Amino acid sequence: MEAILSQQDMKDSLGLSGDGQRLSGRIALITGASQGIGRACAIQLAKAGATVALAARSVAKLEAVAAEITAAGGHAKVYALDVSSEESIKFCTKSVLADLGKVEILVNNAGITKDGLALRMRLSDFEAVLRTNLTGAFLLTQAVISSMMKARWGRVINITSVVGEIGAAGQVNYSASKAGMIGLTKSLAREFASRGITVNAVAPGFIQTAMTEELTEAQRASILTQIPLARYGTDADIAAAVAFLASDAAGYITGHTLDVNGGIYMG
Ligand code: NAP
């Protein structure tokens, strides 16, 4: 008798039922998950089945993101974290490891700007941006990488910026921190490849979030003329790239910086 396959059976037999990005059973820690790109990454990873540890300074905002995820059937837990403090990083990562058992995906997304022309920039503003954006990512990675090594599987995804690739007047501190993240990514990728851990960066262009809200209308219009795809990016554009790099489908990609910038810079 002829077998009648349901559409689902057919999809399963062809391997089409998964999207190649399923993260069921994976544990992900996302820094700066209280808003913007970090929030979008957390939601996307949770949608793909990961349990997400949401970390930032604003616990109330994190609770709101966690509520959104759990209401949609996902799993999320909230952790207070200041990435500019080594003590806070140690406390947060210990709590995540104690609660969830492991961290297999780390998204180093927390970041700040403190813009100013180089000649007038205070050392404190230069160092604060380096400390949060670059040193924070290094310390977070150091704190959770043994957990990935034990699992012989891991993903570190660093959110850098197009500004780290091409520079920006008024952002010596920010661009140095983001260029530093690219070097950090490549060196970590080399150190941990043999342990089944990939380390990649995502370099967003101009994305509509609180960080870019400060631009004037004139600045916005001028930037838009330089973007071949003729629109600003969305946090969902970045989250999609992060979810891909976190997936098994991206298992042969490491040390890479993935530009998600509408074509404003083609490296
Ligand atoms: P955002 O809306 O300003 O969000 C920044 C996030 O980082 C917030 O969740 C904030 O949470 C967290 N954060 C800041 N300082 C922190 C600290 N000391 N400890 C812990 N968390 C901290 O910015 P976004 O646009 O989503 O940017 C996210 C990342 O993408 C940043 O690394 C940024 O540099 C990068 N990026 C953005 C763009 C863009 O166009 N928007 C372009 C390129 C790269 P709390 O305030 O609650 O701590």
Side-chain angles (χ1 to χ4, degrees), residues 79-113:
Y79 297 89
L81 169 69
D82 178 354
V83 298
S84 69
S85 152
E86 186 178 8
E87 203 184 16
S88 172
I89 288 174
K90 280 187 178 155
F91 185 78
C92 168
T93 50
K94 266 189 194 158
S95 311
V96 174
L97 290 168
D99 292 347
L100 304 177
K102 56 186 175 175
V103 172
E104 297 163 303
I105 301 165
L106 170 66
V107 183
N108 280 313
N109 163 80
I112 56 166
T113 52

PDB file of all heavy atoms in Angstrom, residues 79-113:
ATOM      1  N   TYR A  79      19.366  39.036  35.484  1.00  0.00           N
ATOM      2  CA  TYR A  79      20.548  39.207  36.333  1.00  0.00           C
ATOM      3  C   TYR A  79      21.034  40.648  36.269  1.00  0.00           C
ATOM      4  O   TYR A  79      21.254  41.182  35.173  1.00  0.00           O
ATOM      5  CB  TYR A  79      21.684  38.278  35.874  1.00  0.00           C
ATOM      6  CG  TYR A  79      21.308  36.832  36.004  1.00  0.00           C
ATOM      7  CD1 TYR A  79      20.666  36.171  34.964  1.00  0.00           C
ATOM      8  CD2 TYR A  79      21.552  36.138  37.180  1.00  0.00           C
ATOM      9  CE1 TYR A  79      20.273  34.842  35.092  1.00  0.00           C
ATOM     10  CE2 TYR A  79      21.170  34.808  37.319  1.00  0.00           C
ATOM     11  CZ  TYR A  79      20.522  34.170  36.276  1.00  0.00           C
ATOM     12  OH  TYR A  79      20.123  32.860  36.412  1.00  0.00           O
ATOM     13  N   ALA A  80      21.245  41.261  37.438  1.00  0.00           N
ATOM     14  CA  ALA A  80      21.817  42.609  37.474  1.00  0.00           C
ATOM     15  C   ALA A  80      23.297  42.507  37.105  1.00  0.00           C
ATOM     16  O   ALA A  80      23.998  41.608  37.581  1.00  0.00           O
ATOM     17  CB  ALA A  80      21.673  43.188  38.874  1.00  0.00           C
ATOM     18  N   LEU A  81      23.736  43.396  36.235  1.00  0.00           N
ATOM     19  CA  LEU A  81      25.137  43.351  35.802  1.00  0.00           C
ATOM     20  C   LEU A  81      25.607  44.736  35.391  1.00  0.00           C
ATOM     21  O   LEU A  81      24.940  45.430  34.623  1.00  0.00           O
ATOM     22  CB  LEU A  81      25.286  42.404  34.592  1.00  0.00           C
ATOM     23  CG  LEU A  81      26.633  42.443  33.855  1.00  0.00           C
ATOM     24  CD1 LEU A  81      27.754  41.855  34.719  1.00  0.00           C
ATOM     25  CD2 LEU A  81      26.547  41.671  32.527  1.00  0.00           C
ATOM     26  N   ASP A  82      26.789  45.093  35.912  1.00  0.00           N
ATOM     27  CA  ASP A  82      27.471  46.295  35.408  1.00  0.00           C
ATOM     28  C   ASP A  82      28.773  45.811  34.776  1.00  0.00           C
ATOM     29  O   ASP A  82      29.698  45.397  35.481  1.00  0.00           O
ATOM     30  CB  ASP A  82      27.754  47.261  36.573  1.00  0.00           C
ATOM     31  CG  ASP A  82      28.504  48.509  36.102  1.00  0.00           C
ATOM     32  OD1 ASP A  82      28.902  48.565  34.907  1.00  0.00           O
ATOM     33  OD2 ASP A  82      28.697  49.412  36.928  1.00  0.00           O
ATOM     34  N   VAL A  83      28.846  45.843  33.450  1.00  0.00           N
ATOM     35  CA  VAL A  83      30.020  45.270  32.775  1.00  0.00           C
ATOM     36  C   VAL A  83      31.289  46.093  32.983  1.00  0.00           C
ATOM     37  O   VAL A  83      32.375  45.641  32.623  1.00  0.00           O
ATOM     38  CB  VAL A  83      29.792  45.045  31.254  1.00  0.00           C
ATOM     39  CG1 VAL A  83      28.673  44.067  30.994  1.00  0.00           C
ATOM     40  CG2 VAL A  83      29.547  46.352  30.522  1.00  0.00           C
ATOM     41  N   SER A  84      31.149  47.281  33.572  1.00  0.00           N
ATOM     42  CA  SER A  84      32.361  48.066  33.844  1.00  0.00           C
ATOM     43  C   SER A  84      32.999  47.665  35.178  1.00  0.00           C
ATOM     44  O   SER A  84      34.047  48.188  35.543  1.00  0.00           O
ATOM     45  CB  SER A  84      32.050  49.565  33.830  1.00  0.00           C
ATOM     46  OG  SER A  84      31.256  49.905  34.950  1.00  0.00           O
ATOM     47  N   SER A  85      32.363  46.720  35.887  1.00  0.00           N
ATOM     48  CA  SER A  85      32.873  46.290  37.187  1.00  0.00           C
ATOM     49  C   SER A  85      33.225  44.800  37.162  1.00  0.00           C
ATOM     50  O   SER A  85      32.362  43.945  36.915  1.00  0.00           O
ATOM     51  CB  SER A  85      31.816  46.553  38.268  1.00  0.00           C
ATOM     52  OG  SER A  85      31.945  45.652  39.338  1.00  0.00           O
ATOM     53  N   GLU A  86      34.494  44.512  37.449  1.00  0.00           N
ATOM     54  CA  GLU A  86      34.937  43.114  37.453  1.00  0.00           C
ATOM     55  C   GLU A  86      34.179  42.312  38.518  1.00  0.00           C
ATOM     56  O   GLU A  86      33.791  41.162  38.293  1.00  0.00           O
ATOM     57  CB  GLU A  86      36.453  43.054  37.729  1.00  0.00           C
ATOM     58  CG  GLU A  86      37.014  41.659  37.603  1.00  0.00           C
ATOM     59  CD  GLU A  86      38.517  41.592  37.837  1.00  0.00           C
ATOM     60  OE1 GLU A  86      39.122  42.600  38.243  1.00  0.00           O
ATOM     61  OE2 GLU A  86      39.085  40.507  37.618  1.00  0.00           O
ATOM     62  N   GLU A  87      33.943  42.962  39.643  1.00  0.00           N
ATOM     63  CA  GLU A  87      33.234  42.296  40.743  1.00  0.00           C
ATOM     64  C   GLU A  87      31.809  41.922  40.319  1.00  0.00           C
ATOM     65  O   GLU A  87      31.341  40.805  40.565  1.00  0.00           O
ATOM     66  CB  GLU A  87      33.186  43.274  41.921  1.00  0.00           C
ATOM     67  CG  GLU A  87      32.997  42.611  43.244  1.00  0.00           C
ATOM     68  CD  GLU A  87      32.858  43.657  44.351  1.00  0.00           C
ATOM     69  OE1 GLU A  87      32.620  44.850  44.068  1.00  0.00           O
ATOM     70  OE2 GLU A  87      32.987  43.247  45.503  1.00  0.00           O
ATOM     71  N   SER A  88      31.147  42.853  39.653  1.00  0.00           N
ATOM     72  CA  SER A  88      29.780  42.604  39.198  1.00  0.00           C
ATOM     73  C   SER A  88      29.765  41.470  38.161  1.00  0.00           C
ATOM     74  O   SER A  88      28.872  40.616  38.174  1.00  0.00           O
ATOM     75  CB  SER A  88      29.206  43.889  38.606  1.00  0.00           C
ATOM     76  OG  SER A  88      27.970  43.647  38.004  1.00  0.00           O
ATOM     77  N   ILE A  89      30.750  41.458  37.272  1.00  0.00           N
ATOM     78  CA  ILE A  89      30.820  40.397  36.257  1.00  0.00           C
ATOM     79  C   ILE A  89      30.988  39.034  36.942  1.00  0.00           C
ATOM     80  O   ILE A  89      30.321  38.059  36.598  1.00  0.00           O
ATOM     81  CB  ILE A  89      31.973  40.668  35.260  1.00  0.00           C
ATOM     82  CG1 ILE A  89      31.596  41.847  34.352  1.00  0.00           C
ATOM     83  CG2 ILE A  89      32.314  39.423  34.429  1.00  0.00           C
ATOM     84  CD1 ILE A  89      32.696  42.325  33.422  1.00  0.00           C
ATOM     85  N   LYS A  90      31.868  38.979  37.945  1.00  0.00           N
ATOM     86  CA  LYS A  90      32.096  37.707  38.651  1.00  0.00           C
ATOM     87  C   LYS A  90      30.828  37.244  39.348  1.00  0.00           C
ATOM     88  O   LYS A  90      30.446  36.079  39.259  1.00  0.00           O
ATOM     89  CB  LYS A  90      33.224  37.870  39.683  1.00  0.00           C
ATOM     90  CG  LYS A  90      34.602  37.809  39.047  1.00  0.00           C
ATOM     91  CD  LYS A  90      35.683  37.789  40.088  1.00  0.00           C
ATOM     92  CE  LYS A  90      37.066  37.688  39.443  1.00  0.00           C
ATOM     93  NZ  LYS A  90      38.124  38.220  40.263  1.00  0.00           N
ATOM     94  N   PHE A  91      30.159  38.180  40.017  1.00  0.00           N
ATOM     95  CA  PHE A  91      28.948  37.833  40.764  1.00  0.00           C
ATOM     96  C   PHE A  91      27.848  37.356  39.815  1.00  0.00           C
ATOM     97  O   PHE A  91      27.203  36.335  40.040  1.00  0.00           O
ATOM     98  CB  PHE A  91      28.476  39.043  41.588  1.00  0.00           C
ATOM     99  CG  PHE A  91      27.317  38.715  42.464  1.00  0.00           C
ATOM    100  CD1 PHE A  91      27.502  38.028  43.660  1.00  0.00           C
ATOM    101  CD2 PHE A  91      26.022  39.062  42.092  1.00  0.00           C
ATOM    102  CE1 PHE A  91      26.420  37.693  44.469  1.00  0.00           C
ATOM    103  CE2 PHE A  91      24.936  38.732  42.898  1.00  0.00           C
ATOM    104  CZ  PHE A  91      25.140  38.054  44.084  1.00  0.00           C
ATOM    105  N   CYS A  92      27.669  38.101  38.728  1.00  0.00           N
ATOM    106  CA  CYS A  92      26.608  37.764  37.769  1.00  0.00           C
ATOM    107  C   CYS A  92      26.853  36.397  37.124  1.00  0.00           C
ATOM    108  O   CYS A  92      25.952  35.561  37.076  1.00  0.00           O
ATOM    109  CB  CYS A  92      26.527  38.849  36.692  1.00  0.00           C
ATOM    110  SG  CYS A  92      25.507  38.402  35.293  1.00  0.00           S
ATOM    111  N   THR A  93      28.077  36.167  36.643  1.00  0.00           N
ATOM    112  CA  THR A  93      28.327  34.914  35.918  1.00  0.00           C
ATOM    113  C   THR A  93      28.261  33.711  36.872  1.00  0.00           C
ATOM    114  O   THR A  93      27.774  32.653  36.490  1.00  0.00           O
ATOM    115  CB  THR A  93      29.678  34.949  35.173  1.00  0.00           C
ATOM    116  OG1 THR A  93      30.702  35.375  36.074  1.00  0.00           O
ATOM    117  CG2 THR A  93      29.632  35.902  33.998  1.00  0.00           C
ATOM    118  N   LYS A  94      28.703  33.917  38.115  1.00  0.00           N
ATOM    119  CA  LYS A  94      28.578  32.830  39.104  1.00  0.00           C
ATOM    120  C   LYS A  94      27.112  32.486  39.327  1.00  0.00           C
ATOM    121  O   LYS A  94      26.735  31.311  39.388  1.00  0.00           O
ATOM    122  CB  LYS A  94      29.202  33.252  40.444  1.00  0.00           C
ATOM    123  CG  LYS A  94      30.643  32.814  40.571  1.00  0.00           C
ATOM    124  CD  LYS A  94      31.176  33.039  41.971  1.00  0.00           C
ATOM    125  CE  LYS A  94      32.692  32.917  41.942  1.00  0.00           C
ATOM    126  NZ  LYS A  94      33.340  33.592  43.048  1.00  0.00           N
ATOM    127  N   SER A  95      26.277  33.514  39.428  1.00  0.00           N
ATOM    128  CA  SER A  95      24.837  33.285  39.650  1.00  0.00           C
ATOM    129  C   SER A  95      24.216  32.571  38.447  1.00  0.00           C
ATOM    130  O   SER A  95      23.427  31.638  38.617  1.00  0.00           O
ATOM    131  CB  SER A  95      24.093  34.601  39.863  1.00  0.00           C
ATOM    132  OG  SER A  95      24.736  35.388  40.808  1.00  0.00           O
ATOM    133  N   VAL A  96      24.582  32.998  37.238  1.00  0.00           N
ATOM    134  CA  VAL A  96      24.011  32.357  36.042  1.00  0.00           C
ATOM    135  C   VAL A  96      24.423  30.881  36.003  1.00  0.00           C
ATOM    136  O   VAL A  96      23.593  29.987  35.775  1.00  0.00           O
ATOM    137  CB  VAL A  96      24.476  33.066  34.738  1.00  0.00           C
ATOM    138  CG1 VAL A  96      23.998  32.323  33.502  1.00  0.00           C
ATOM    139  CG2 VAL A  96      23.995  34.511  34.706  1.00  0.00           C
ATOM    140  N   LEU A  97      25.721  30.621  36.269  1.00  0.00           N
ATOM    141  CA  LEU A  97      26.206  29.235  36.210  1.00  0.00           C
ATOM    142  C   LEU A  97      25.554  28.389  37.308  1.00  0.00           C
ATOM    143  O   LEU A  97      25.209  27.220  37.079  1.00  0.00           O
ATOM    144  CB  LEU A  97      27.734  29.193  36.312  1.00  0.00           C
ATOM    145  CG  LEU A  97      28.465  29.746  35.070  1.00  0.00           C
ATOM    146  CD1 LEU A  97      29.956  29.952  35.347  1.00  0.00           C
ATOM    147  CD2 LEU A  97      28.267  28.822  33.866  1.00  0.00           C
ATOM    148  N   ALA A  98      25.350  28.987  38.497  1.00  0.00           N
ATOM    149  CA  ALA A  98      24.712  28.244  39.591  1.00  0.00           C
ATOM    150  C   ALA A  98      23.250  27.945  39.251  1.00  0.00           C
ATOM    151  O   ALA A  98      22.759  26.837  39.478  1.00  0.00           O
ATOM    152  CB  ALA A  98      24.803  29.048  40.890  1.00  0.00           C
ATOM    153  N   ASP A  99      22.550  28.909  38.665  1.00  0.00           N
ATOM    154  CA  ASP A  99      21.119  28.737  38.369  1.00  0.00           C
ATOM    155  C   ASP A  99      20.877  27.845  37.154  1.00  0.00           C
ATOM    156  O   ASP A  99      19.977  27.017  37.146  1.00  0.00           O
ATOM    157  CB  ASP A  99      20.458  30.092  38.055  1.00  0.00           C
ATOM    158  CG  ASP A  99      20.386  30.993  39.271  1.00  0.00           C
ATOM    159  OD1 ASP A  99      20.619  30.514  40.396  1.00  0.00           O
ATOM    160  OD2 ASP A  99      20.098  32.197  39.085  1.00  0.00           O
ATOM    161  N   LEU A 100      21.652  28.065  36.096  1.00  0.00           N
ATOM    162  CA  LEU A 100      21.333  27.420  34.808  1.00  0.00           C
ATOM    163  C   LEU A 100      22.311  26.300  34.439  1.00  0.00           C
ATOM    164  O   LEU A 100      22.119  25.598  33.462  1.00  0.00           O
ATOM    165  CB  LEU A 100      21.276  28.476  33.694  1.00  0.00           C
ATOM    166  CG  LEU A 100      20.298  29.643  33.948  1.00  0.00           C
ATOM    167  CD1 LEU A 100      20.365  30.680  32.837  1.00  0.00           C
ATOM    168  CD2 LEU A 100      18.860  29.125  34.089  1.00  0.00           C
ATOM    169  N   GLY A 101      23.403  26.162  35.218  1.00  0.00           N
ATOM    170  CA  GLY A 101      24.320  25.032  35.031  1.00  0.00           C
ATOM    171  C   GLY A 101      25.443  25.273  34.050  1.00  0.00           C
ATOM    172  O   GLY A 101      26.513  24.672  34.160  1.00  0.00           O
ATOM    173  N   LYS A 102      25.216  26.110  33.048  1.00  0.00           N
ATOM    174  CA  LYS A 102      26.255  26.347  32.037  1.00  0.00           C
ATOM    175  C   LYS A 102      25.900  27.598  31.232  1.00  0.00           C
ATOM    176  O   LYS A 102      24.760  28.075  31.291  1.00  0.00           O
ATOM    177  CB  LYS A 102      26.366  25.140  31.096  1.00  0.00           C
ATOM    178  CG  LYS A 102      25.066  24.778  30.428  1.00  0.00           C
ATOM    179  CD  LYS A 102      25.159  23.495  29.619  1.00  0.00           C
ATOM    180  CE  LYS A 102      23.772  23.124  29.076  1.00  0.00           C
ATOM    181  NZ  LYS A 102      23.724  21.999  28.200  1.00  0.00           N
ATOM    182  N   VAL A 103      26.886  28.084  30.498  1.00  0.00           N
ATOM    183  CA  VAL A 103      26.623  29.133  29.493  1.00  0.00           C
ATOM    184  C   VAL A 103      27.274  28.639  28.208  1.00  0.00           C
ATOM    185  O   VAL A 103      28.472  28.382  28.173  1.00  0.00           O
ATOM    186  CB  VAL A 103      27.223  30.497  29.892  1.00  0.00           C
ATOM    187  CG1 VAL A 103      27.112  31.500  28.748  1.00  0.00           C
ATOM    188  CG2 VAL A 103      26.530  31.054  31.135  1.00  0.00           C
ATOM    189  N   GLU A 104      26.482  28.478  27.168  1.00  0.00           N
ATOM    190  CA  GLU A 104      27.025  27.985  25.885  1.00  0.00           C
ATOM    191  C   GLU A 104      27.093  29.074  24.825  1.00  0.00           C
ATOM    192  O   GLU A 104      27.827  28.951  23.845  1.00  0.00           O
ATOM    193  CB  GLU A 104      26.139  26.844  25.360  1.00  0.00           C
ATOM    194  CG  GLU A 104      26.124  25.637  26.268  1.00  0.00           C
ATOM    195  CD  GLU A 104      24.960  24.724  25.958  1.00  0.00           C
ATOM    196  OE1 GLU A 104      23.807  25.198  26.004  1.00  0.00           O
ATOM    197  OE2 GLU A 104      25.201  23.554  25.668  1.00  0.00           O
ATOM    198  N   ILE A 105      26.274  30.101  25.012  1.00  0.00           N
ATOM    199  CA  ILE A 105      26.253  31.214  24.051  1.00  0.00           C
ATOM    200  C   ILE A 105      26.392  32.506  24.846  1.00  0.00           C
ATOM    201  O   ILE A 105      25.616  32.738  25.779  1.00  0.00           O
ATOM    202  CB  ILE A 105      24.912  31.244  23.270  1.00  0.00           C
ATOM    203  CG1 ILE A 105      24.687  29.932  22.510  1.00  0.00           C
ATOM    204  CG2 ILE A 105      24.861  32.454  22.324  1.00  0.00           C
ATOM    205  CD1 ILE A 105      23.255  29.718  22.017  1.00  0.00           C
ATOM    206  N   LEU A 106      27.413  33.291  24.505  1.00  0.00           N
ATOM    207  CA  LEU A 106      27.590  34.593  25.165  1.00  0.00           C
ATOM    208  C   LEU A 106      27.471  35.683  24.105  1.00  0.00           C
ATOM    209  O   LEU A 106      28.209  35.655  23.112  1.00  0.00           O
ATOM    210  CB  LEU A 106      28.975  34.668  25.833  1.00  0.00           C
ATOM    211  CG  LEU A 106      29.381  36.062  26.340  1.00  0.00           C
ATOM    212  CD1 LEU A 106      28.477  36.526  27.492  1.00  0.00           C
ATOM    213  CD2 LEU A 106      30.846  36.067  26.800  1.00  0.00           C
ATOM    214  N   VAL A 107      26.572  36.617  24.315  1.00  0.00           N
ATOM    215  CA  VAL A 107      26.463  37.764  23.408  1.00  0.00           C
ATOM    216  C   VAL A 107      26.941  39.000  24.170  1.00  0.00           C
ATOM    217  O   VAL A 107      26.269  39.485  25.082  1.00  0.00           O
ATOM    218  CB  VAL A 107      25.015  37.963  22.896  1.00  0.00           C
ATOM    219  CG1 VAL A 107      24.963  39.118  21.889  1.00  0.00           C
ATOM    220  CG2 VAL A 107      24.475  36.685  22.263  1.00  0.00           C
ATOM    221  N   ASN A 108      28.138  39.472  23.817  1.00  0.00           N
ATOM    222  CA  ASN A 108      28.699  40.678  24.432  1.00  0.00           C
ATOM    223  C   ASN A 108      28.149  41.879  23.681  1.00  0.00           C
ATOM    224  O   ASN A 108      28.698  42.294  22.655  1.00  0.00           O
ATOM    225  CB  ASN A 108      30.232  40.647  24.342  1.00  0.00           C
ATOM    226  CG  ASN A 108      30.853  39.767  25.402  1.00  0.00           C
ATOM    227  OD1 ASN A 108      30.508  39.844  26.588  1.00  0.00           O
ATOM    228  ND2 ASN A 108      31.783  38.900  24.995  1.00  0.00           N
ATOM    229  N   ASN A 109      27.033  42.386  24.206  1.00  0.00           N
ATOM    230  CA  ASN A 109      26.324  43.463  23.497  1.00  0.00           C
ATOM    231  C   ASN A 109      26.327  44.792  24.242  1.00  0.00           C
ATOM    232  O   ASN A 109      26.224  45.851  23.611  1.00  0.00           O
ATOM    233  CB  ASN A 109      24.871  43.008  23.243  1.00  0.00           C
ATOM    234  CG  ASN A 109      23.962  44.175  22.908  1.00  0.00           C
ATOM    235  OD1 ASN A 109      23.942  44.658  21.772  1.00  0.00           O
ATOM    236  ND2 ASN A 109      23.208  44.662  23.890  1.00  0.00           N
ATOM    237  N   ALA A 110      26.467  44.766  25.575  1.00  0.00           N
ATOM    238  CA  ALA A 110      26.380  46.023  26.352  1.00  0.00           C
ATOM    239  C   ALA A 110      27.396  47.026  25.825  1.00  0.00           C
ATOM    240  O   ALA A 110      28.554  46.672  25.585  1.00  0.00           O
ATOM    241  CB  ALA A 110      26.631  45.748  27.830  1.00  0.00           C
ATOM    242  N   GLY A 111      26.958  48.255  25.639  1.00  0.00           N
ATOM    243  CA  GLY A 111      27.891  49.256  25.122  1.00  0.00           C
ATOM    244  C   GLY A 111      27.391  50.663  25.383  1.00  0.00           C
ATOM    245  O   GLY A 111      26.189  50.893  25.547  1.00  0.00           O
ATOM    246  N   ILE A 112      28.347  51.586  25.422  1.00  0.00           N
ATOM    247  CA  ILE A 112      28.002  52.999  25.631  1.00  0.00           C
ATOM    248  C   ILE A 112      28.816  53.875  24.668  1.00  0.00           C
ATOM    249  O   ILE A 112      29.816  53.420  24.100  1.00  0.00           O
ATOM    250  CB  ILE A 112      28.300  53.468  27.077  1.00  0.00           C
ATOM    251  CG1 ILE A 112      29.785  53.217  27.453  1.00  0.00           C
ATOM    252  CG2 ILE A 112      27.369  52.819  28.082  1.00  0.00           C
ATOM    253  CD1 ILE A 112      30.243  53.945  28.705  1.00  0.00           C
ATOM    254  N   THR A 113      28.369  55.117  24.535  1.00  0.00           N
ATOM    255  CA  THR A 113      29.161  56.132  23.826  1.00  0.00           C
ATOM    256  C   THR A 113      29.383  57.307  24.790  1.00  0.00           C
ATOM    257  O   THR A 113      28.552  57.542  25.682  1.00  0.00           O
ATOM    258  CB  THR A 113      28.418  56.680  22.585  1.00  0.00           C
ATOM    259  OG1 THR A 113      27.120  57.112  22.988  1.00  0.00           O
ATOM    260  CG2 THR A 113      28.280  55.649  21.492  1.00  0.00           C
TER     261      THR A 113
END
